[in-house]
Amino acid sequence: MRFRKPGRALGAVLFLPVLAMLTTAVPAQAAPNPTPVPMTRASTSDFSLQWSDDRRTPARNLVRAVNRNGNRVRVGTMLNAANLQAHTQANMNCRDNATGPAGALRGVSTSRFYCLTHEDATTTRWTPQGISGTEDAQPGRGTVDQRRAIVFSWHAGPVGGSGTGTRLSFLVPSTNRYIHVLLVRPNDAGTDYGNVSLHAGGIAWYSHYLFVTAGDGVHVFDTNNLLRLAGNPKGNTTDENHIGLQPDGKYYGRGYGYLLPEIGRWHNPNATTVYDSISLERAPGRDPQFVTGEYRDTAIGRVARWRDDDLTRFSGTIRPFIAWFEPVRYVQGAFSRGCYYFTTGGGGSGNRHLVVANTRGNRTPVSYLGGRGLQDLYWLRSADQLWTLTEHPGDGMRVLYGVPRPPCP
């Protein structure tokens, strides 16, 4: 799928090289332009983060306590267990739902997208938010355990609401299957665990770490500490109401077969700064950099850039090396590659844009029409595509999709 400039002809479409493309033309829909403004420099002083609640040792202890024979569980093993069937636009129901009158992609020319299962598409118990993948995690081919995957986060509760729990979903493009993994927080001894409840507005997969934003900072998880309850005599995967070690001596995970414990968090002591989205930029000739963005509905938010060795230091206090004011309000995702890319959602159903802005030369940003309920951004560099997802419940309303990365203005 490609974002369309409002008021312009539909653009060309590209496809994900490893999978077939099906193009569907749909009628254009009018939508208001978010009137973006040129980006200007912002102070970095509000963005300091302090490492806190270090649980690296308890998380490692949980692996020995919970996993069968105390063994490490590899990411590839978890991906092989993906048991939920997603569908691409090659599936007629998926295509018609997503591009039809009530679909998230109506009015947008489409190339590749995924529809979730009916249960995940329609539930109000969970809402999808952030997106990343193995091409963030690793350089070169961008694989983990020789597999490619997309990961997306969910907060508990309906859109704009909250609940108990946070989960990640790992989707394998080669099979179109995905699996849910529940996030948990270890106790001090690493013998038990409880719920993690975050908004999870953004996610970035870097090396074996997963960084998940939560408004007041960034929470960190380590895939080396995956816990497997499925097929484990120590675990229970049928009870959806309990979590942690129960009186029967077994570990519960609210019915999930795989869990991922938190290893700590980067806490923001400044209550006026919001950490909503996070992405990773890999550029030739320099180390990767993280990009965090703010969601604000009454004022322009800010985007900040961080060195990778700062966010992976896991000690002390860190600060971004540069920050900019975003070009629009309602920013849900932010990414940088030569210039900045922002998704906007909220503030009305017509606010569904990808905004491309340049920090050089006071240039006017450019807006492209996107799906309804846009969220975080992930760069699939092998295809030079930007991937995002939509949050509203309904068949065809919750989709993951990629677009050709537009040129910088």
Side-chain angles (χ1 to χ4, degrees):
M1 186 206 74
R2 179 167 182 154
F3 289 105
R4 178 178 63 84
K5 282 187 182 182
R8 301 281 183 91
L10 293 178
V13 296
L14 296 180
F15 63 91
L16 190 65
V18 297
L19 294 161
M21 180 185 80
L22 182 64
T23 302
T24 303
V26 292
Q29 293 291 307
N33 198 325
T35 61
V37 297
M39 296 176 67
T40 57
R41 286 284 293 271
S43 171
T44 62
S45 60
D46 292 344
F47 284 93
S48 62
L49 289 172
Q50 298 174 353
W51 182 248
S52 62
D53 199 22
D54 191 314
R55 294 184 178 270
R56 283 175 287 179
T57 298
R60 289 192 295 267
N61 290 342
L62 271 181
V63 173
R64 293 188 287 269
V66 175
N67 286 347
R68 192 167 189 171
N69 299 321
N71 292 332
R72 176 188 166 193
V73 175
R74 301 190 66 87
V75 169
T77 301
M78 178 267 293
L79 296 178
N80 288 340
N83 58 347
L84 299 169
Q85 184 66 60
H87 292 286
T88 69
Q89 70 279 358
N91 177 279
M92 183 175 64
N93 287 336
C94 172
R95 182 177 69 250
D96 291 349
N97 285 332
T99 62
L105 303 183
R106 187 184 184 196
V108 186
S109 63
T110 61
S111 61
R112 182 162 187 81
F113 55 87
Y114 291 100
C115 298
L116 304 178
T117 66
H118 173 74
E119 180 180 358
D120 286 335
T122 59
T123 182
T124 57
R125 293 177 56 195
W126 295 97
T127 301
Q129 295 288 292
I131 187 169
S132 184
T134 55
E135 292 199 12
D136 276 350
Q138 295 295 334
R141 295 181 60 194
T143 60
V144 173
D145 291 344
Q146 293 77 53
R147 305 293 292 276
R148 295 184 185 276
I150 296 172
V151 60
F152 50 107
S153 61
W154 306 69
H155 72 73
V159 174
S162 62
T164 300
T166 310
R167 71 183 185 185
L168 307 180
S169 299
F170 293 80
L171 186 150
V172 182
S174 62
T175 63
N176 296 339
R177 290 183 176 271
Y178 65 101
I179 186 171
H180 297 312
V181 175
L182 187 70
L183 300 183
V184 297
R185 179 168 293 121
N187 67 357
D188 292 341
T191 57
D192 201 358
Y193 51 82
N195 287 300
V196 170
S197 293
L198 312 174
H199 184 71
I203 182 173
W205 191 349
Y206 179 63
S207 184
H208 49 92
Y209 300 112
L210 288 162
F211 296 84
V212 180
T213 55
D216 64 346
V218 182
H219 294 243
V220 188
F221 304 81
D222 187 341
T223 60
N224 285 338
N225 300 324
L226 267 172
L227 307 178
R228 180 181 178 180
L229 301 185
N232 182 351
K234 300 179 184 179
N236 179 299
T237 59
T238 61
D239 187 317
E240 299 182 1
N241 299 313
H242 294 90
I243 189 168
L245 185 61
Q246 298 300 311
D248 62 1
K250 291 188 177 184
Y251 287 95
Y252 288 58
R254 298 175 62 188
Y256 291 81
Y258 288 83
L259 317 177
L260 186 61
E262 184 177 0
I263 64 168
R265 63 188 178 112
W266 286 108
H267 174 66
N268 170 34
N270 187 339
T272 64
T273 305
V274 180
Y275 288 85
D276 184 67
S277 67
I278 187 168
S279 63
L280 187 80
E281 180 187 1
R282 290 186 179 273
R286 64 165 171 77
D287 293 334
Q289 294 175 359
F290 289 90
V291 177
T292 60
E294 291 186 300
Y295 175 91
R296 292 188 181 275
D297 55 5
T298 59
I300 293 290
R302 297 159 294 178
V303 62
R305 299 180 70 92
W306 308 76
R307 295 180 177 87
D308 63 328
D309 55 2
D310 284 339
L311 273 175
T312 55
R313 180 191 305 170
F314 305 140
S315 65
T317 300
I318 60 174
R319 182 175 294 172
F321 62 89
I322 196 168
W324 298 85
F325 285 103
E326 296 163 340
V328 284
R329 294 178 294 163
Y330 307 110
V331 167
Q332 298 279 9
F335 171 73
S336 172
R337 176 66 170 155
C339 56
Y340 284 90
Y341 299 85
F342 302 92
T343 49
T344 67
S349 61
N351 189 5
R352 41 184 291 206
H353 294 85
L354 173 73
V355 178
V356 188
N358 208 318
T359 58
R360 296 186 293 273
N362 199 38
R363 302 173 190 176
T364 301
V366 178
S367 294
Y368 298 83
L369 186 65
R372 284 183 279 184
L374 287 176
Q375 295 299 303
D376 203 18
L377 277 171
Y378 164 51
W379 181 41
L380 189 73
R381 65 178 186 276
S382 62
D384 198 17
Q385 293 179 341
L386 294 177
W387 278 73
T388 186
L389 69 169
T390 57
E391 69 173 354
H392 297 298
D395 286 319
M397 283 299 291
R398 280 186 179 156
V399 294
L400 286 74
Y401 63 92
V403 303
R405 182 170 62 92
C408 295

